[in-house]
Amino acid sequence: MLFEELKIFRKHRIQFVEDLRNANVPGPFRGRPVIDKEISPGDGQLLANLCPTGAIEIHPFSIDLGKCVFCNACQFAFPEKISFTNDYKFATNQRDKLKVFPGAPNLIKVEKKLIRKEVSKIFRKALKLRQISAGGDNSCEMELNAADNVNFDMGRYGIEFVASPRHADGIVITGPITNNMARAVEITWAAIPEPKILVLAGTDAITGGMFLSSKEVNRGFLDDHYIDLYIPGNPIHPLTFINGLLDLTGRV
Ligand code: SF4
């Protein structure tokens, strides 16, 4: 333990994660899952019954990472059928690609053809973002803070959070968007000059997660706006967030 801390001290003033594109994330991190190709209808039904968020569908069998809270109950119950890998590069600009099916591992990525031209042209070298915690539980928010700390240091790519939407190129929403934050999300979005991007970070933001059926949730804002990036995770990992933005803005 002491040796580990000394190693960290020795690296002070140096970005601790030197290569954000190829860093290795050890367990117990749970990233993109893989599902064995042999899932019987009975096993599928059992898995669907134990999933707390309805992320598991059975016709056909799939796990929707937009709903999954990465609780590990499915892997715990059927370790030979489902396993969560340490692949953290699974942000995407296609909502339907967040579904994982049995069989060959389907990598989840940002589809270049769907990136708006102005996004890769204008934000390639610098991107300022305003974060809105819209009923969040501070878990994704903490990880977004971590993305900016000396360990991950996404600022090395010119990506930073700013205090005012007037200075921002887009918003990052965390949380399911509660009634009392719905108007604040609209106002913040309206205050950002064009062109701008919209990022949903975490399961709660992508689908409402555990809170989807709550009458205190109001997600109407998302019906009216194009979503540039979905960052799955509960909470998200800083590397998922940073790599997703780098792919969206066309960084090598
Ligand atoms: S890890 Fe995801 S898919 Fe598995 S049971 Fe939990 S919420 Fe459902």
mmCIF file with all atom_site columns, all heavy atoms in Angstrom, residues 47 50-56 63 67-75 84, ligand 1:
data_model
loop_
_atom_site.group_PDB
_atom_site.id
_atom_site.type_symbol
_atom_site.label_atom_id
_atom_site.label_alt_id
_atom_site.label_comp_id
_atom_site.label_asym_id
_atom_site.label_entity_id
_atom_site.label_seq_id
_atom_site.pdbx_PDB_ins_code
_atom_site.Cartn_x
_atom_site.Cartn_y
_atom_site.Cartn_z
_atom_site.occupancy
_atom_site.B_iso_or_equiv
_atom_site.pdbx_formal_charge
_atom_site.auth_seq_id
_atom_site.auth_comp_id
_atom_site.auth_asym_id
_atom_site.auth_atom_id
_atom_site.pdbx_PDB_model_num
ATOM   1   N  N   . LEU A 1 47 ? -33.280 -14.243 -16.198 1.00 0.00 ? 47 LEU A N   1
ATOM   2   C  CA  . LEU A 1 47 ? -32.435 -13.043 -16.175 1.00 0.00 ? 47 LEU A CA  1
ATOM   3   C  C   . LEU A 1 47 ? -33.283 -11.778 -16.255 1.00 0.00 ? 47 LEU A C   1
ATOM   4   O  O   . LEU A 1 47 ? -33.036 -10.799 -15.542 1.00 0.00 ? 47 LEU A O   1
ATOM   5   C  CB  . LEU A 1 47 ? -31.438 -13.091 -17.334 1.00 0.00 ? 47 LEU A CB  1
ATOM   6   C  CG  . LEU A 1 47 ? -30.250 -14.023 -17.110 1.00 0.00 ? 47 LEU A CG  1
ATOM   7   C  CD1 . LEU A 1 47 ? -29.599 -14.428 -18.421 1.00 0.00 ? 47 LEU A CD1 1
ATOM   8   C  CD2 . LEU A 1 47 ? -29.228 -13.333 -16.214 1.00 0.00 ? 47 LEU A CD2 1
ATOM   9   N  N   . LEU A 1 50 ? -34.805 -10.908 -12.942 1.00 0.00 ? 50 LEU A N   1
ATOM   10  C  CA  . LEU A 1 50 ? -33.971 -10.382 -11.846 1.00 0.00 ? 50 LEU A CA  1
ATOM   11  C  C   . LEU A 1 50 ? -33.391 -9.000  -12.135 1.00 0.00 ? 50 LEU A C   1
ATOM   12  O  O   . LEU A 1 50 ? -32.877 -8.347  -11.251 1.00 0.00 ? 50 LEU A O   1
ATOM   13  C  CB  . LEU A 1 50 ? -32.867 -11.383 -11.466 1.00 0.00 ? 50 LEU A CB  1
ATOM   14  C  CG  . LEU A 1 50 ? -31.769 -11.739 -12.453 1.00 0.00 ? 50 LEU A CG  1
ATOM   15  C  CD1 . LEU A 1 50 ? -30.691 -10.692 -12.497 1.00 0.00 ? 50 LEU A CD1 1
ATOM   16  C  CD2 . LEU A 1 50 ? -31.161 -13.085 -12.046 1.00 0.00 ? 50 LEU A CD2 1
ATOM   17  N  N   . CYS A 1 51 ? -33.480 -8.574  -13.397 1.00 0.00 ? 51 CYS A N   1
ATOM   18  C  CA  . CYS A 1 51 ? -32.916 -7.254  -13.735 1.00 0.00 ? 51 CYS A CA  1
ATOM   19  C  C   . CYS A 1 51 ? -33.794 -6.143  -13.149 1.00 0.00 ? 51 CYS A C   1
ATOM   20  O  O   . CYS A 1 51 ? -34.993 -6.088  -13.422 1.00 0.00 ? 51 CYS A O   1
ATOM   21  C  CB  . CYS A 1 51 ? -32.823 -7.106  -15.255 1.00 0.00 ? 51 CYS A CB  1
ATOM   22  S  SG  . CYS A 1 51 ? -32.173 -5.503  -15.746 1.00 0.00 ? 51 CYS A SG  1
ATOM   23  N  N   . PRO A 1 52 ? -33.218 -5.247  -12.347 1.00 0.00 ? 52 PRO A N   1
ATOM   24  C  CA  . PRO A 1 52 ? -34.046 -4.254  -11.659 1.00 0.00 ? 52 PRO A CA  1
ATOM   25  C  C   . PRO A 1 52 ? -34.550 -3.113  -12.536 1.00 0.00 ? 52 PRO A C   1
ATOM   26  O  O   . PRO A 1 52 ? -35.422 -2.351  -12.124 1.00 0.00 ? 52 PRO A O   1
ATOM   27  C  CB  . PRO A 1 52 ? -33.101 -3.703  -10.576 1.00 0.00 ? 52 PRO A CB  1
ATOM   28  C  CG  . PRO A 1 52 ? -31.738 -3.896  -11.137 1.00 0.00 ? 52 PRO A CG  1
ATOM   29  C  CD  . PRO A 1 52 ? -31.797 -5.139  -11.971 1.00 0.00 ? 52 PRO A CD  1
ATOM   30  N  N   . THR A 1 53 ? -34.007 -2.981  -13.746 1.00 0.00 ? 53 THR A N   1
ATOM   31  C  CA  . THR A 1 53 ? -34.379 -1.813  -14.559 1.00 0.00 ? 53 THR A CA  1
ATOM   32  C  C   . THR A 1 53 ? -35.024 -2.172  -15.887 1.00 0.00 ? 53 THR A C   1
ATOM   33  O  O   . THR A 1 53 ? -35.250 -1.291  -16.715 1.00 0.00 ? 53 THR A O   1
ATOM   34  C  CB  . THR A 1 53 ? -33.130 -0.950  -14.859 1.00 0.00 ? 53 THR A CB  1
ATOM   35  O  OG1 . THR A 1 53 ? -32.174 -1.782  -15.515 1.00 0.00 ? 53 THR A OG1 1
ATOM   36  C  CG2 . THR A 1 53 ? -32.533 -0.369  -13.602 1.00 0.00 ? 53 THR A CG2 1
ATOM   37  N  N   . GLY A 1 54 ? -35.276 -3.476  -16.119 1.00 0.00 ? 54 GLY A N   1
ATOM   38  C  CA  . GLY A 1 54 ? -35.850 -3.864  -17.411 1.00 0.00 ? 54 GLY A CA  1
ATOM   39  C  C   . GLY A 1 54 ? -34.861 -3.743  -18.546 1.00 0.00 ? 54 GLY A C   1
ATOM   40  O  O   . GLY A 1 54 ? -35.251 -3.620  -19.713 1.00 0.00 ? 54 GLY A O   1
ATOM   41  N  N   . ALA A 1 55 ? -33.559 -3.789  -18.216 1.00 0.00 ? 55 ALA A N   1
ATOM   42  C  CA  . ALA A 1 55 ? -32.543 -3.667  -19.274 1.00 0.00 ? 55 ALA A CA  1
ATOM   43  C  C   . ALA A 1 55 ? -32.434 -4.934  -20.105 1.00 0.00 ? 55 ALA A C   1
ATOM   44  O  O   . ALA A 1 55 ? -31.928 -4.908  -21.220 1.00 0.00 ? 55 ALA A O   1
ATOM   45  C  CB  . ALA A 1 55 ? -31.186 -3.341  -18.651 1.00 0.00 ? 55 ALA A CB  1
ATOM   46  N  N   . ILE A 1 56 ? -32.911 -6.058  -19.547 1.00 0.00 ? 56 ILE A N   1
ATOM   47  C  CA  . ILE A 1 56 ? -32.806 -7.327  -20.275 1.00 0.00 ? 56 ILE A CA  1
ATOM   48  C  C   . ILE A 1 56 ? -34.126 -7.611  -20.994 1.00 0.00 ? 56 ILE A C   1
ATOM   49  O  O   . ILE A 1 56 ? -35.183 -7.658  -20.377 1.00 0.00 ? 56 ILE A O   1
ATOM   50  C  CB  . ILE A 1 56 ? -32.452 -8.475  -19.312 1.00 0.00 ? 56 ILE A CB  1
ATOM   51  C  CG1 . ILE A 1 56 ? -31.037 -8.251  -18.749 1.00 0.00 ? 56 ILE A CG1 1
ATOM   52  C  CG2 . ILE A 1 56 ? -32.549 -9.823  -20.011 1.00 0.00 ? 56 ILE A CG2 1
ATOM   53  C  CD1 . ILE A 1 56 ? -30.562 -9.304  -17.776 1.00 0.00 ? 56 ILE A CD1 1
ATOM   54  N  N   . ILE A 1 63 ? -29.162 -7.014  -23.759 1.00 0.00 ? 63 ILE A N   1
ATOM   55  C  CA  . ILE A 1 63 ? -29.010 -6.110  -22.607 1.00 0.00 ? 63 ILE A CA  1
ATOM   56  C  C   . ILE A 1 63 ? -28.912 -4.701  -23.166 1.00 0.00 ? 63 ILE A C   1
ATOM   57  O  O   . ILE A 1 63 ? -28.061 -4.414  -24.013 1.00 0.00 ? 63 ILE A O   1
ATOM   58  C  CB  . ILE A 1 63 ? -27.744 -6.431  -21.786 1.00 0.00 ? 63 ILE A CB  1
ATOM   59  C  CG1 . ILE A 1 63 ? -27.860 -7.819  -21.153 1.00 0.00 ? 63 ILE A CG1 1
ATOM   60  C  CG2 . ILE A 1 63 ? -27.523 -5.377  -20.701 1.00 0.00 ? 63 ILE A CG2 1
ATOM   61  C  CD1 . ILE A 1 63 ? -26.647 -8.232  -20.330 1.00 0.00 ? 63 ILE A CD1 1
ATOM   62  N  N   . LYS A 1 67 ? -30.285 1.299   -20.268 1.00 0.00 ? 67 LYS A N   1
ATOM   63  C  CA  . LYS A 1 67 ? -31.096 1.073   -19.064 1.00 0.00 ? 67 LYS A CA  1
ATOM   64  C  C   . LYS A 1 67 ? -30.311 0.384   -17.945 1.00 0.00 ? 67 LYS A C   1
ATOM   65  O  O   . LYS A 1 67 ? -30.685 0.468   -16.779 1.00 0.00 ? 67 LYS A O   1
ATOM   66  C  CB  . LYS A 1 67 ? -32.305 0.201   -19.411 1.00 0.00 ? 67 LYS A CB  1
ATOM   67  C  CG  . LYS A 1 67 ? -33.297 0.838   -20.355 1.00 0.00 ? 67 LYS A CG  1
ATOM   68  C  CD  . LYS A 1 67 ? -34.447 -0.129  -20.629 1.00 0.00 ? 67 LYS A CD  1
ATOM   69  C  CE  . LYS A 1 67 ? -35.471 0.478   -21.565 1.00 0.00 ? 67 LYS A CE  1
ATOM   70  N  NZ  . LYS A 1 67 ? -36.464 -0.525  -21.993 1.00 0.00 ? 67 LYS A NZ  1
ATOM   71  N  N   . CYS A 1 68 ? -29.264 -0.329  -18.312 1.00 0.00 ? 68 CYS A N   1
ATOM   72  C  CA  . CYS A 1 68 ? -28.510 -1.128  -17.333 1.00 0.00 ? 68 CYS A CA  1
ATOM   73  C  C   . CYS A 1 68 ? -27.854 -0.234  -16.286 1.00 0.00 ? 68 CYS A C   1
ATOM   74  O  O   . CYS A 1 68 ? -27.281 0.811   -16.612 1.00 0.00 ? 68 CYS A O   1
ATOM   75  C  CB  . CYS A 1 68 ? -27.437 -1.917  -18.092 1.00 0.00 ? 68 CYS A CB  1
ATOM   76  S  SG  . CYS A 1 68 ? -26.323 -2.846  -17.054 1.00 0.00 ? 68 CYS A SG  1
ATOM   77  N  N   . VAL A 1 69 ? -27.946 -0.657  -15.026 1.00 0.00 ? 69 VAL A N   1
ATOM   78  C  CA  . VAL A 1 69 ? -27.272 0.106   -13.963 1.00 0.00 ? 69 VAL A CA  1
ATOM   79  C  C   . VAL A 1 69 ? -26.008 -0.620  -13.489 1.00 0.00 ? 69 VAL A C   1
ATOM   80  O  O   . VAL A 1 69 ? -25.441 -0.282  -12.453 1.00 0.00 ? 69 VAL A O   1
ATOM   81  C  CB  . VAL A 1 69 ? -28.222 0.383   -12.766 1.00 0.00 ? 69 VAL A CB  1
ATOM   82  C  CG1 . VAL A 1 69 ? -29.273 1.386   -13.146 1.00 0.00 ? 69 VAL A CG1 1
ATOM   83  C  CG2 . VAL A 1 69 ? -28.846 -0.905  -12.230 1.00 0.00 ? 69 VAL A CG2 1
ATOM   84  N  N   . PHE A 1 70 ? -25.584 -1.622  -14.253 1.00 0.00 ? 70 PHE A N   1
ATOM   85  C  CA  . PHE A 1 70 ? -24.320 -2.322  -14.001 1.00 0.00 ? 70 PHE A CA  1
ATOM   86  C  C   . PHE A 1 70 ? -24.253 -2.866  -12.574 1.00 0.00 ? 70 PHE A C   1
ATOM   87  O  O   . PHE A 1 70 ? -23.219 -2.807  -11.918 1.00 0.00 ? 70 PHE A O   1
ATOM   88  C  CB  . PHE A 1 70 ? -23.131 -1.395  -14.306 1.00 0.00 ? 70 PHE A CB  1
ATOM   89  C  CG  . PHE A 1 70 ? -23.056 -1.003  -15.762 1.00 0.00 ? 70 PHE A CG  1
ATOM   90  C  CD1 . PHE A 1 70 ? -23.866 0.006   -16.264 1.00 0.00 ? 70 PHE A CD1 1
ATOM   91  C  CD2 . PHE A 1 70 ? -22.205 -1.666  -16.637 1.00 0.00 ? 70 PHE A CD2 1
ATOM   92  C  CE1 . PHE A 1 70 ? -23.826 0.361   -17.614 1.00 0.00 ? 70 PHE A CE1 1
ATOM   93  C  CE2 . PHE A 1 70 ? -22.163 -1.323  -17.986 1.00 0.00 ? 70 PHE A CE2 1
ATOM   94  C  CZ  . PHE A 1 70 ? -22.968 -0.308  -18.475 1.00 0.00 ? 70 PHE A CZ  1
ATOM   95  N  N   . CYS A 1 71 ? -25.406 -3.382  -12.117 1.00 0.00 ? 71 CYS A N   1
ATOM   96  C  CA  . CYS A 1 71 ? -25.477 -3.895  -10.743 1.00 0.00 ? 71 CYS A CA  1
ATOM   97  C  C   . CYS A 1 71 ? -24.804 -5.251  -10.604 1.00 0.00 ? 71 CYS A C   1
ATOM   98  O  O   . CYS A 1 71 ? -24.542 -5.710  -9.504  1.00 0.00 ? 71 CYS A O   1
ATOM   99  C  CB  . CYS A 1 71 ? -26.932 -4.001  -10.302 1.00 0.00 ? 71 CYS A CB  1
ATOM   100 S  SG  . CYS A 1 71 ? -27.863 -5.276  -11.198 1.00 0.00 ? 71 CYS A SG  1
ATOM   101 N  N   . ASN A 1 72 ? -24.580 -5.917  -11.741 1.00 0.00 ? 72 ASN A N   1
ATOM   102 C  CA  . ASN A 1 72 ? -23.875 -7.200  -11.767 1.00 0.00 ? 72 ASN A CA  1
ATOM   103 C  C   . ASN A 1 72 ? -24.760 -8.389  -11.381 1.00 0.00 ? 72 ASN A C   1
ATOM   104 O  O   . ASN A 1 72 ? -24.265 -9.511  -11.286 1.00 0.00 ? 72 ASN A O   1
ATOM   105 C  CB  . ASN A 1 72 ? -22.637 -7.167  -10.860 1.00 0.00 ? 72 ASN A CB  1
ATOM   106 C  CG  . ASN A 1 72 ? -21.618 -8.207  -11.264 1.00 0.00 ? 72 ASN A CG  1
ATOM   107 O  OD1 . ASN A 1 72 ? -21.543 -8.569  -12.441 1.00 0.00 ? 72 ASN A OD1 1
ATOM   108 N  ND2 . ASN A 1 72 ? -20.847 -8.706  -10.318 1.00 0.00 ? 72 ASN A ND2 1
ATOM   109 N  N   . ALA A 1 73 ? -26.045 -8.169  -11.144 1.00 0.00 ? 73 ALA A N   1
ATOM   110 C  CA  . ALA A 1 73 ? -26.911 -9.288  -10.728 1.00 0.00 ? 73 ALA A CA  1
ATOM   111 C  C   . ALA A 1 73 ? -26.956 -10.380 -11.795 1.00 0.00 ? 73 ALA A C   1
ATOM   112 O  O   . ALA A 1 73 ? -26.957 -11.567 -11.479 1.00 0.00 ? 73 ALA A O   1
ATOM   113 C  CB  . ALA A 1 73 ? -28.312 -8.771  -10.429 1.00 0.00 ? 73 ALA A CB  1
ATOM   114 N  N   . CYS A 1 74 ? -26.972 -9.992  -13.065 1.00 0.00 ? 74 CYS A N   1
ATOM   115 C  CA  . CYS A 1 74 ? -27.067 -11.001 -14.132 1.00 0.00 ? 74 CYS A CA  1
ATOM   116 C  C   . CYS A 1 74 ? -25.787 -11.821 -14.240 1.00 0.00 ? 74 CYS A C   1
ATOM   117 O  O   . CYS A 1 74 ? -25.834 -13.042 -14.385 1.00 0.00 ? 74 CYS A O   1
ATOM   118 C  CB  . CYS A 1 74 ? -27.427 -10.343 -15.459 1.00 0.00 ? 74 CYS A CB  1
ATOM   119 S  SG  . CYS A 1 74 ? -26.365 -8.979  -15.924 1.00 0.00 ? 74 CYS A SG  1
ATOM   120 N  N   . GLN A 1 75 ? -24.639 -11.156 -14.139 1.00 0.00 ? 75 GLN A N   1
ATOM   121 C  CA  . GLN A 1 75 ? -23.371 -11.887 -14.198 1.00 0.00 ? 75 GLN A CA  1
ATOM   122 C  C   . GLN A 1 75 ? -23.215 -12.782 -12.969 1.00 0.00 ? 75 GLN A C   1
ATOM   123 O  O   . GLN A 1 75 ? -22.731 -13.909 -13.060 1.00 0.00 ? 75 GLN A O   1
ATOM   124 C  CB  . GLN A 1 75 ? -22.189 -10.916 -14.271 1.00 0.00 ? 75 GLN A CB  1
ATOM   125 C  CG  . GLN A 1 75 ? -20.848 -11.630 -14.277 1.00 0.00 ? 75 GLN A CG  1
ATOM   126 C  CD  . GLN A 1 75 ? -19.671 -10.681 -14.472 1.00 0.00 ? 75 GLN A CD  1
ATOM   127 O  OE1 . GLN A 1 75 ? -18.984 -10.741 -15.471 1.00 0.00 ? 75 GLN A OE1 1
ATOM   128 N  NE2 . GLN A 1 75 ? -19.442 -9.805  -13.506 1.00 0.00 ? 75 GLN A NE2 1
ATOM   129 N  N   . PHE A 1 84 ? -19.006 -8.994  -17.752 1.00 0.00 ? 84 PHE A N   1
ATOM   130 C  CA  . PHE A 1 84 ? -18.712 -7.594  -18.056 1.00 0.00 ? 84 PHE A CA  1
ATOM   131 C  C   . PHE A 1 84 ? -17.213 -7.461  -18.297 1.00 0.00 ? 84 PHE A C   1
ATOM   132 O  O   . PHE A 1 84 ? -16.410 -7.835  -17.448 1.00 0.00 ? 84 PHE A O   1
ATOM   133 C  CB  . PHE A 1 84 ? -19.164 -6.688  -16.906 1.00 0.00 ? 84 PHE A CB  1
ATOM   134 C  CG  . PHE A 1 84 ? -20.648 -6.486  -16.892 1.00 0.00 ? 84 PHE A CG  1
ATOM   135 C  CD1 . PHE A 1 84 ? -21.482 -7.417  -16.281 1.00 0.00 ? 84 PHE A CD1 1
ATOM   136 C  CD2 . PHE A 1 84 ? -21.229 -5.397  -17.518 1.00 0.00 ? 84 PHE A CD2 1
ATOM   137 C  CE1 . PHE A 1 84 ? -22.849 -7.257  -16.288 1.00 0.00 ? 84 PHE A CE1 1
ATOM   138 C  CE2 . PHE A 1 84 ? -22.605 -5.231  -17.533 1.00 0.00 ? 84 PHE A CE2 1
ATOM   139 C  CZ  . PHE A 1 84 ? -23.417 -6.153  -16.916 1.00 0.00 ? 84 PHE A CZ  1
HETATM 140 S  S1  . SF4 B 2 .  ? -26.107 -5.571  -14.647 1.00 0.00 ? 1  SF4 B S1  1
HETATM 141 FE FE1 . SF4 B 2 .  ? -27.564 -4.489  -15.950 1.00 0.00 ? 1  SF4 B FE1 1
HETATM 142 S  S2  . SF4 B 2 .  ? -28.535 -6.053  -17.193 1.00 0.00 ? 1  SF4 B S2  1
HETATM 143 FE FE2 . SF4 B 2 .  ? -27.534 -7.096  -15.471 1.00 0.00 ? 1  SF4 B FE2 1
HETATM 144 S  S3  . SF4 B 2 .  ? -29.149 -7.270  -13.928 1.00 0.00 ? 1  SF4 B S3  1
HETATM 145 FE FE3 . SF4 B 2 .  ? -28.019 -5.366  -13.466 1.00 0.00 ? 1  SF4 B FE3 1
HETATM 146 S  S4  . SF4 B 2 .  ? -29.154 -3.766  -14.541 1.00 0.00 ? 1  SF4 B S4  1
HETATM 147 FE FE4 . SF4 B 2 .  ? -29.849 -5.723  -15.398 1.00 0.00 ? 1  SF4 B FE4 1
#
